């Protein structure tokens, strides 16, 4: 092994020079990679504090049946001919109570702003955008969802017409379309296709199945 002279300087190799070159501002490649490695170690380390806190936390208690929960109000909703006693936050929409509390997912959440019609249900026989009304407003009302309109083997005539005329594609808007179409039969509406289009303007089909939807509605109207 040959010793370097006392005053000699060891020249850095190309790799070392690259690491010490500025990456951005005062940060070099070397310092950046070092910080990146430290962050990776921290991210992969077990969350010791969280584990400790979980270990000493008191087990969550579940309110007993019939016990009022702070911030909620009792409400009985009559949905598809059956009464349901619920404890709801007063801000809960009818749409969310149907889907989340009563497990009736046929009523769809589309825009959540009353613009698409996917959440249409019947309240006392009239169509309503369930995302725009609070559940607590409907104690004593008769609410009908797509699940209460018909069922496999015993379809409502409007449901059967939608199947016959292939009036859907993805199907997401279909329940709202059908609920509006059924209500339309009890509303002032002229006989033409344009009349139907105008009466159904609050229901949007993103797939563009409008000609088939209008044909299905007209067929069901004639059958009725």
């Amino acid at each position: 092994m040959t010793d370097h002279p006392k005053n000699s300087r060891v020249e850095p190799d190309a790799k070392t020079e690259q690491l010490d070159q500025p990456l951005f501002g005062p940060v070099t490649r070397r310092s950046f990679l070092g910080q990146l490695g430290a962050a990776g170690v921290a991210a992969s380390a077990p969350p010791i504090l969280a584990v400790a806190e979980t270990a000493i936390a008191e087990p969550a208690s579940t309110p007993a049946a019939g016990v009022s929960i702070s911030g909620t109000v009792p409400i009985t909703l009559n949905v598809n001919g059956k009464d349901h006693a619920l404890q709801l936050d007063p801000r809960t929409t009818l749409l969310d109570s149907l889907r989340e509390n009563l497990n009736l997912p046929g009523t769809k959440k589309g825009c959540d702003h009353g613009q698409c019609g996917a959440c249409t249900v019947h309240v006392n026989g009239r169509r309503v955008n369930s995302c725009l009304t609070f559940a607590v407003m409907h104690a004593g009302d008769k609410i009908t969802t797509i699940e209460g309109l018909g069922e496999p083997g015993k379809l409502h005539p409007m449901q059967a017409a939608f199947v016959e005329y292939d009036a859907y594609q993805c199907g997401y808007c279909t329940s709202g379309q059908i609920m509006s179409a059924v209500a339309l039969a009890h509303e002032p509406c002229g006989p033409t296709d344009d009349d139907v289009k105008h009466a159904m303007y609050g229901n949007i089909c993103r797939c563009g199945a409008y000609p088939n939807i209008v044909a299905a509605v007209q067929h069901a109207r004639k059958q009725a």
Side-chain angles (χ1 to χ4, degrees):
M1 178 180 298
T2 303
D3 293 333
H4 292 287
K6 184 176 181 179
N7 296 325
S8 65
R9 177 172 175 268
V10 179
E11 295 294 330
D13 56 23
K15 185 175 182 180
T16 302
E17 288 182 344
Q18 289 179 356
L19 290 174
D20 290 327
Q21 289 178 354
L23 187 60
F24 46 87
V27 180
T28 65
R29 294 177 184 272
R30 184 188 302 276
S31 62
F32 175 74
L33 292 174
Q35 293 173 8
L36 188 63
V41 171
S44 61
I48 300 174
L49 181 59
V51 172
E53 290 177 347
T54 303
I56 63 175
E58 293 293 331
S61 58
T62 303
V67 175
S68 177
I69 304 172
S70 177
T72 65
V73 296
I75 178 73
T76 298
L77 296 179
N78 183 284
V79 182
N80 299 329
K82 183 179 179 181
D83 285 338
H84 301 271
L86 302 170
Q87 288 282 149
L88 297 178
D89 185 308
R91 298 166 295 180
T92 304
T93 63
L94 179 57
L95 170 62
D96 286 337
S97 66
L98 292 172
R99 292 180 58 84
E100 306 299 333
N101 300 105
L102 298 181
N103 193 29
L104 294 171
T107 304
K108 302 302 183 185
K109 178 177 283 196
C111 65
D112 214 20
H113 286 79
Q115 297 175 346
C116 71
C119 69
T120 304
V121 299
H122 294 172
V123 176
N124 298 329
R126 300 184 64 181
R127 49 177 162 168
V128 169
N129 287 334
S130 58
C131 74
L132 293 183
T133 185
F134 295 119
V136 294
M137 298 169 60
H138 296 288
D141 289 337
K142 302 295 183 183
I143 302 166
T144 305
T145 71
I146 191 70
E147 291 90 347
L149 202 62
E151 57 188 22
K154 192 179 179 181
L155 295 178
H156 185 280
M158 190 65 71
Q159 291 174 310
F162 267 63
V163 173
E164 181 178 351
Y165 283 82
D166 197 22
Y168 50 84
Q169 288 188 38
C170 77
Y172 196 84
C173 74
T174 303
S175 58
Q177 299 275 3
I178 291 174
M179 297 303 289
S180 283
V182 171
L184 180 151
H186 305 285
E187 300 171 358
C189 180
T192 69
D193 288 357
D194 285 341
D195 293 326
V196 172
K197 292 176 184 178
H198 179 73
M200 296 280 291
Y201 75 94
N203 290 82
I204 294 174
C205 175
R206 291 175 174 84
C207 299
Y210 296 113
N212 295 37
I213 291 172
V214 172
V217 174
Q218 290 289 54
H219 174 78
R221 294 177 75 196
K222 292 175 182 177
Q223 295 297 314

